Amino acid sequence: MAAPASRRRGSSWGRSWPLLFVAILALHSLAIYLFTRGFLLTRTELDLHSHRDDRTGVSPGCSSWPQPAVDHLVIVVLDALRFDFVAPSTFFEEKQPWMDKLQVLQKLAADEKNSARIFKALADPPTTSLQRLKALTTGGLPTFIDVGNSFGAPAIVEDNIMHQLVKNGKRVVMMGDDTWTQLYPEHFNKSFPYPSFNVKDLDTVDNGVIEHLLPSLHENDWDVLIAHFLGVDHAGHIFGVDSAPMIQKLEQYNQILEDVINTLKSLSTPGGPHENTLLLVMGDHGQTLNGDHGGGTAEEVETSLFAWSPKTPPDAVLSVLGENSCNFDLHGKEVCVSTMQQLDFAVTVSALLGIPFPFGSIGRVNPELYALSAGTWDNQRTGINACTPQDDLEAWKMRYAEALCVNSWQVKRYIDQYSGSSIIGFSAEYLHHVEELYSKAQANWSEVLKSTCPSETAKGEEFKESASSSLQLQIDAYSSFLESFAKLARSAWTEFDLWLMGTGLLLMILSVITQAYILVRLNALCQPSAQECASSRIIPKLSFAFTLVTIRAASLLSNSYILAEGRVTNFLLATSCIAGVWSSATKGNFTIEEFIFLLLNIFARFGIELGMSKQVAGPTATKDHPLITCAVHQRFLKYFIMSGTILSY
């Protein structure tokens, strides 16, 4: 009676196993969907641009974009510039070997503290270079799903400061990291790009920038100059932060920056070409002690921005510069450090250069960086409701309030467009809250404009105090609206939904365990005469196959895995192939599947590597990025073969 019962159970399993695998596939799909909904945050990119004549919905007191505050802008990007590379070591609990190497910036911040400032710039994850450049120029928040473009950057279609610069007649010169020319292929009057893919090369990009940077400062064919160095980033990836090559790079940068600052000073005399030039030395992100970046740890998101203006702002305006974080450097001089969000970079640069703000920018014009250029302004009201001269501080507050007025209108316009066109928008509760803040700020603006014009009976000192207080309240109201929406945007686009991710992982683990159990049961039922023997044979094979797949999946969690991906994959493929061939040879039943698997492995091991070596040696390797194409084909092939690992058993 046992045999018929066994046959009945086997027949029942034979009829139901397709349904079981369909159920497992559905569970797999649900797990992947839940995990990706929590991890791969998405943001709809709007192909809309700001224009010089935009007026719809703008308040009367800020009916135009801000007037330019600087004539020229020099942006020196030091890739992966940690905050402790720039700030004096006295700001930290323990002095490290890599600190205090950029002495020229610290000295300038101490000697000319009224016109030079060190900022701790806080980046938003992901902290990969491409996403940071995209965020810096668009003023938005790229999501983690954009990391897939890090090694094959498409041109940016969103509105950005590069587009606005070109559209408004500004001349831009770029030198250094070729990612800029990938993102903005038609935006530079002159460009000197150098390949950035080879992280083992510490000097090619930097030497190219050095060759062109100082001569370009003496030329008068640009309004914005961008110089992007890569040596520190590559030194961190290969050697780590605490290494001799890293310290050598920082010392080299110190000399370069000293030459740049001396050149600008010599050309910033009254009537000189750089009399009204602003210098920004900045990082796009930080890095860990191992040189990694991409995530959201403090070391990765904390980078630096140093700003210096040849003209010193009026003494009254200097009160805008915060004094909360000041300390003495190694020479006993006081150095103050401010904090800003990288999200504010695009809109602040736009306000300084007098160009329309990018349509999708959600940052706020930074008051301290905006105040450093106050030395170029007169103390007359620049708005359309100007009625009387003011003192320096009130004039600056009025100009800044007008900039925030346009800033807030532009962000509110983006909120309305995004909410109406995006499939995944914002919650109604949060939207209602930020709209209330905007309406409140706008309602007070007309009263503020009236309060800054004195009546015949108003007394001078009382009026000045009242006007300054009203302007400060208005600045706070606009800032509250902008900061609230930035917080909302971060929660939607950069903060993972841990509940969805955890649920997806749990379902995936359960489905894998269920699948393994069903495979064991099916194998036993197919060989009823030797169930224990069959189970003993299938379990080690499944364990081996799942171990390989688990190792492969776990290795993808390393943000530096791209450097050794091909070698690790080939090793796993070769190991699985040798194990399969050895198992078949010991049993004396070498099948066609093992032969095909062996051929595919040989092709992956030698054919692709030979093709990649030819592409690297070719002169067009960096032009069309064939390495990326080859990597895509290899990725497709290796997943195909890895899936065959389980089938071959």
Side-chain angles (χ1 to χ4, degrees):
M1 295 297 292
S6 177
R7 284 195 295 269
R8 285 196 299 272
R9 288 196 300 270
S11 176
S12 175
W13 272 85
R15 289 191 301 269
S16 61
W17 76 263
L19 295 178
L20 291 174
F21 275 102
V22 170
I24 291 174
L25 179 61
L27 191 61
H28 263 344
S29 301
L30 177 61
I32 293 173
Y33 171 76
L34 292 176
F35 183 83
T36 54
R37 283 286 289 114
F39 178 72
L40 297 180
L41 307 174
T42 57
R43 179 177 66 91
T44 303
E45 295 187 357
L46 304 182
D47 190 16
L48 299 172
H49 296 77
S50 298
H51 302 281
R52 174 64 66 180
D53 56 353
D54 286 343
R55 294 290 185 275
T56 305
V58 187
S59 296
C62 56
S63 58
S64 62
W65 303 103
Q67 295 298 313
V70 298
D71 297 329
H72 299 90
L73 182 64
V74 178
I75 303 176
V76 178
V77 181
L78 306 181
D79 208 291
L81 184 71
R82 288 168 55 104
F83 174 61
D84 57 7
F85 286 170
V86 177
S89 58
T90 53
F91 280 79
F92 306 95
E93 295 182 359
E94 183 179 356
K95 178 177 172 56
Q96 300 294 343
W98 58 82
M99 295 180 180
D100 298 320
K101 300 304 177 185
L102 298 179
Q103 285 283 330
V104 62
L105 301 184
Q106 296 179 8
K107 186 176 185 300
L108 199 60
D111 294 343
E112 302 182 25
K113 58 185 304 183
N114 294 336
S115 57
R117 197 74 167 182
I118 295 175
F119 292 83
K120 177 193 288 186
L122 302 179
D124 291 285
T127 50
T128 51
S129 294
L130 183 143
Q131 281 65 48
R132 287 293 86 220
L133 293 183
K134 183 176 181 180
L136 286 168
T137 54
T138 63
L141 292 171
T143 60
F144 270 87
I145 199 170
D146 294 324
V147 175
N149 295 326
S150 294
F151 295 95
I156 292 179
V157 297
E158 282 187 283
D159 196 8
N160 55 81
I161 57 176
M162 307 305 298
H163 171 79
Q164 292 296 339
L165 287 171
V166 174
K167 189 176 179 181
N168 289 274
K170 302 292 185 180
R171 302 161 298 172
V172 185
V173 172
M174 190 285 303
M175 56 199 68
D177 188 349
D178 62 350
T179 304
W180 286 92
T181 55
Q182 298 173 34
L183 297 176
Y184 308 105
E186 300 177 354
H187 293 72
F188 302 112
N189 292 69
K190 290 193 304 183
S191 63
F192 306 96
Y194 297 90
S196 59
F197 188 78
N198 184 9
V199 296
K200 295 182 180 180
D201 184 355
L202 307 185
D203 300 313
T204 297
V205 177
D206 291 356
N207 291 341
V209 175
I210 295 171
E211 178 184 354
H212 298 285
L213 178 54
L214 292 180
S216 297
L217 294 177
H218 291 273
E219 297 177 1
N220 194 30
D221 58 351
W222 55 270
D223 300 295
V224 177
L225 187 150
I226 301 171
H228 192 143
F229 292 85
L230 274 179
V232 161
D233 180 62
H234 289 183
H237 280 301
I238 302 302
F239 303 103
V241 172
D242 190 5
S243 64
M246 175 65 75
I247 295 175
Q248 291 170 2
K249 270 294 164 187
L250 292 174
E251 291 173 345
Q252 180 189 26
Y253 287 173
N254 184 70
Q255 183 59 53
I256 296 168
L257 292 173
E258 185 175 3
D259 294 339
V260 169
I261 292 171
N262 289 336
T263 300
L264 291 176
K265 283 185 175 181
S266 66
L267 298 174
S268 62
T269 54
H274 293 302
E275 179 184 8
N276 190 18
T277 296
L278 182 67
L279 170 66
L280 299 179
V281 180
M282 59 184 296
D284 52 349
H285 52 76
Q287 58 178 305
T288 65
L289 293 180
N290 295 327
D292 297 331
H293 57 87
T297 64
E299 290 179 307
E300 294 169 284
V301 302
E302 291 181 358
T303 183
S304 296
L305 185 146
F306 171 85
W308 173 71
S309 173
K311 285 191 174 181
T312 303
D315 292 338
V317 179
L318 295 178
S319 63
V320 177
L321 301 177
E323 301 290 340
N324 295 328
S325 181
C326 296
N327 206 338
F328 293 97
D329 62 12
L330 297 178
H331 305 288
K333 296 181 179 179
E334 188 180 50
V335 176
C336 295
V337 174
S338 302
T339 301
M340 67 172 292
Q341 300 289 334
Q342 270 197 356
L343 188 67
D344 301 339
F345 179 81
V347 67
T348 304
V349 167
S350 299
L352 290 171
L353 292 172
I355 59 176
F357 305 159
F359 189 92
S361 171
I362 59 173
R364 176 190 66 146
V365 177
N366 183 270
E368 294 177 88
L369 191 55
Y370 198 56
L372 286 176
S373 63
T376 66
W377 306 342
D378 57 36
N379 66 347
Q380 299 296 318
R381 176 83 60 85
T382 58
I384 63 172
N385 293 315
C387 55
T388 186
Q390 305 137 327
D391 61 30
D392 292 328
L393 181 58
E394 185 187 344
W396 181 87
K397 284 186 176 181
M398 173 57 72
R399 185 155 184 168
Y400 182 57
E402 291 173 351
L404 286 184
C405 179
V406 181
N407 190 181
S408 300
W409 163 78
Q410 167 262 319
V411 171
K412 181 61 169 61
R413 178 180 62 168
Y414 172 72
I415 295 174
D416 295 338
Q417 288 288 342
Y418 188 89
S419 301
S421 59
S422 176
I423 298 176
I424 304 177
F426 304 106
S427 65
E429 180 182 358
Y430 276 105
L431 281 178
H432 180 68
H433 175 65
V434 296
E435 287 180 0
E436 281 188 342
L437 291 175
Y438 180 75
S439 299
K440 181 180 178 180
Q442 289 297 85
N444 292 334
W445 181 235
S446 59
E447 296 300 322
V448 170
L449 293 177
K450 293 178 181 178
S451 69
T452 56
C453 291
S455 63
E456 294 181 359
T457 59
K459 296 181 180 180
E461 292 301 325
E462 294 179 358
F463 164 73
K464 288 183 179 180
E465 183 177 351
S466 174
S468 180
S469 177
S470 298
L471 285 171
Q472 187 60 51
L473 290 175
Q474 187 62 33
I475 290 172
D476 293 340
Y478 281 134
S479 297
S480 177
F481 161 72
L482 292 169
E483 291 169 0
S484 296
F485 180 70
K487 181 179 179 181
L488 170 62
R490 286 190 176 94
S491 66
W493 296 330
T494 66
E495 296 179 5
F496 298 135
D497 191 327
L498 298 180
W499 187 89
L500 284 178
M501 292 172 61
T503 304
L505 283 175
L506 179 61
L507 289 177
M508 180 63 69
I509 293 172
L510 291 176
S511 65
V512 170
I513 294 174
T514 304
Q515 182 181 8
Y517 173 76
I518 292 175
L519 287 174
V520 173
R521 292 289 299 164
L522 284 176
N523 185 77
L525 290 172
C526 290
Q527 303 181 41
S529 60
Q531 293 184 11
E532 294 182 2
C533 182
S535 298
S536 65
R537 287 196 301 268
I538 191 67
I539 290 176
K541 295 177 180 179
L542 283 174
S543 300
F544 178 73
F546 278 111
T547 300
L548 287 179
V549 174
T550 302
I551 293 174
R552 168 64 181 159
S555 63
L556 293 174
L557 298 177
S558 170
N559 59 3
S560 295
Y561 180 62
I562 188 67
L563 299 175
E565 182 177 10
R567 293 191 295 274
V568 173
T569 302
N570 286 333
F571 172 78
L572 292 176
L573 291 175
T575 302
S576 59
C577 179
I578 293 172
V581 172
W582 176 263
S583 176
S584 299
T586 56
K587 298 174 184 177
N589 57 346
F590 191 78
T591 62
I592 187 65
E593 288 83 0
E594 276 82 11
F595 179 72
I596 295 176
F597 191 32
L598 180 61
L599 289 180
L600 287 175
N601 183 71
I602 293 173
F603 173 72
R605 182 67 179 86
F606 297 104
I608 293 181
E609 285 195 0
L610 179 62
M612 291 182 67
S613 64
K614 288 182 178 180
Q615 294 288 7
V616 171
T620 60
T622 60
K623 180 180 180 181
D624 300 320
H625 302 281
L627 289 177
I628 305 305
T629 306
C630 182
V632 171
H633 290 298
Q634 184 184 21
R635 187 178 293 272
F636 172 79
L637 179 61
K638 70 193 176 192
Y639 280 119
F640 172 75
I641 298 177
M642 286 295 289
S643 63
T645 303
I646 297 179
L647 297 177
S648 66
Y649 287 105

Coordinates of all heavy atoms in Angstrom, one line a residue, residues 365-392:
V365 N 18.8 80.9 -1.6 CA 19.9 81.8 -1.7 C 20.6 81.9 -0.4 O 20.0 82.4 0.6 CB 19.5 83.2 -2.3 CG1 20.7 84.1 -2.4 CG2 18.8 83.1 -3.6
N366 N 21.8 81.4 -0.3 CA 22.6 81.4 1.0 C 22.9 82.8 1.4 O 23.6 83.6 0.6 CB 23.8 80.5 0.8 CG 24.6 80.4 2.1 OD1 25.4 81.2 2.4 ND2 24.2 79.4 2.9
P367 N 22.5 83.3 2.6 CA 22.7 84.7 3.0 C 24.2 85.0 3.2 O 24.6 86.1 2.8 CB 22.0 84.8 4.3 CG 21.9 83.4 4.8 CD 21.8 82.5 3.6
E368 N 25.0 84.1 3.7 CA 26.4 84.4 4.0 C 27.2 84.5 2.7 O 28.1 85.4 2.5 CB 27.0 83.4 4.9 CG 26.4 83.5 6.3 CD 26.9 82.4 7.3 OE1 27.9 82.7 7.9 OE2 26.3 81.4 7.3
L369 N 27.0 83.5 1.8 CA 27.7 83.6 0.5 C 27.3 84.8 -0.3 O 28.1 85.4 -1.0 CB 27.5 82.3 -0.2 CG 28.3 82.0 -1.5 CD1 29.8 82.1 -1.2 CD2 28.0 80.7 -2.1
Y370 N 26.0 85.1 -0.2 CA 25.4 86.3 -0.9 C 26.0 87.6 -0.4 O 26.2 88.5 -1.1 CB 23.9 86.2 -0.8 CG 23.2 87.1 -1.9 CD1 23.4 86.9 -3.2 CD2 22.3 88.1 -1.5 CE1 22.7 87.7 -4.2 CE2 21.6 88.8 -2.4 CZ 21.8 88.7 -3.7 OH 21.1 89.4 -4.6
A371 N 26.3 87.6 1.0 CA 26.8 88.8 1.6 C 28.2 89.1 1.3 O 28.7 90.2 1.3 CB 26.6 88.7 3.1
L372 N 29.0 88.1 0.9 CA 30.4 88.3 0.6 C 30.6 89.1 -0.6 O 31.6 89.7 -0.8 CB 31.1 86.9 0.4 CG 31.4 86.1 1.6 CD1 32.0 84.8 1.2 CD2 32.3 86.9 2.6
S373 N 29.6 89.2 -1.5 CA 29.7 90.1 -2.7 C 29.1 91.4 -2.5 O 28.9 92.2 -3.4 CB 28.9 89.4 -3.9 OG 27.5 89.2 -3.6
A374 N 28.7 91.8 -1.2 CA 28.0 93.1 -1.0 C 29.0 94.2 -1.2 O 28.5 95.4 -1.3 CB 27.5 93.1 0.5
G375 N 30.3 94.0 -1.2 CA 31.2 95.1 -1.5 C 31.1 95.7 -2.9 O 31.6 96.7 -3.1
T376 N 30.3 95.0 -3.7 CA 30.2 95.5 -5.1 C 28.9 96.3 -5.3 O 28.6 96.8 -6.4 CB 30.2 94.3 -6.1 OG1 29.0 93.5 -5.9 CG2 31.4 93.5 -5.9
W377 N 28.1 96.4 -4.3 CA 26.8 97.1 -4.4 C 26.9 98.5 -3.8 O 27.6 98.8 -2.9 CB 25.7 96.3 -3.6 CG 25.6 94.9 -4.0 CD1 26.1 94.3 -5.1 CD2 24.9 93.9 -3.3 NE1 25.8 93.0 -5.1 CE2 25.1 92.7 -4.0 CE3 24.2 93.8 -2.1 CZ2 24.5 91.5 -3.6 CZ3 23.7 92.7 -1.6 CH2 23.9 91.5 -2.4
D378 N 26.0 99.4 -4.3 CA 25.8 100.7 -3.6 C 24.7 100.5 -2.6 O 24.1 99.5 -2.5 CB 25.5 101.8 -4.6 CG 24.3 101.5 -5.5 OD1 23.3 100.9 -4.9 OD2 24.2 101.9 -6.6
N379 N 24.4 101.5 -1.8 CA 23.4 101.4 -0.8 C 22.1 102.0 -1.2 O 21.3 102.4 -0.3 CB 23.9 102.1 0.5 CG 24.0 103.6 0.3 OD1 24.0 104.1 -0.8 ND2 24.2 104.3 1.5
Q380 N 21.8 101.9 -2.4 CA 20.5 102.4 -2.9 C 19.6 101.2 -3.1 O 20.0 100.2 -3.5 CB 20.7 103.2 -4.2 CG 21.6 104.4 -4.1 CD 21.0 105.5 -3.1 OE1 19.8 105.7 -3.2 NE2 21.8 106.0 -2.3
R381 N 18.3 101.4 -2.9 CA 17.3 100.4 -3.1 C 17.3 100.0 -4.5 O 17.3 100.9 -5.4 CB 15.9 101.0 -2.7 CG 14.7 100.1 -2.9 CD 14.6 99.1 -1.8 NE 14.3 99.7 -0.5 CZ 13.1 100.1 -0.1 NH1 12.1 100.0 -0.9 NH2 13.0 100.7 1.1
T382 N 17.3 98.7 -4.8 CA 17.3 98.3 -6.2 C 15.9 97.8 -6.6 O 15.7 97.5 -7.8 CB 18.2 97.1 -6.4 OG1 17.9 96.1 -5.5 CG2 19.7 97.6 -6.1
G383 N 14.9 97.7 -5.7 CA 13.6 97.2 -6.1 C 12.8 98.3 -6.8 O 13.2 99.5 -6.8
I384 N 11.7 98.0 -7.3 CA 10.9 99.0 -8.1 C 10.2 100.0 -7.1 O 9.7 101.0 -7.6 CB 9.8 98.3 -9.0 CG1 8.8 97.5 -8.1 CG2 10.5 97.3 -9.9 CD1 7.7 96.9 -8.9
N385 N 10.1 99.6 -5.8 CA 9.4 100.5 -4.9 C 10.4 101.3 -4.1 O 10.2 101.8 -3.0 CB 8.6 99.7 -3.9 CG 7.4 99.0 -4.6 OD1 6.7 99.7 -5.4 ND2 7.2 97.8 -4.3
A386 N 11.6 101.6 -4.7 CA 12.7 102.3 -4.0 C 12.1 103.7 -3.7 O 11.5 104.4 -4.5 CB 13.9 102.4 -4.8
C387 N 12.3 104.2 -2.4 CA 11.8 105.5 -2.1 C 12.8 106.4 -1.4 O 12.7 107.6 -1.4 CB 10.6 105.3 -1.2 SG 10.9 104.4 0.3
T388 N 13.8 105.8 -0.8 CA 14.8 106.6 -0.1 C 16.1 105.8 0.1 O 16.1 104.6 0.2 CB 14.3 107.1 1.2 OG1 15.2 108.0 1.8 CG2 14.1 105.9 2.2
P389 N 17.2 106.5 0.2 CA 18.5 105.8 0.5 C 18.4 105.1 1.9 O 17.7 105.6 2.8 CB 19.5 106.9 0.4 CG 18.9 108.0 -0.4 CD 17.5 107.9 -0.1
Q390 N 19.1 104.1 2.1 CA 19.1 103.4 3.3 C 20.6 103.1 3.8 O 21.5 103.4 3.0 CB 18.4 102.0 3.2 CG 17.0 102.1 2.6 CD 16.8 101.0 1.6 OE1 17.7 100.6 0.9 NE2 15.5 100.6 1.5
D391 N 20.7 102.7 5.0 CA 22.1 102.3 5.4 C 22.5 101.0 4.8 O 21.7 100.3 4.2 CB 22.2 102.3 6.9 CG 21.3 101.3 7.6 OD1 21.0 100.2 6.9 OD2 20.8 101.5 8.7
D392 N 23.7 100.6 5.0 CA 24.3 99.4 4.3 C 23.5 98.2 4.6 O 23.2 97.4 3.7 CB 25.7 99.3 4.6 CG 26.6 100.4 4.0 OD1 26.2 100.9 2.9 OD2 27.6 100.7 4.6

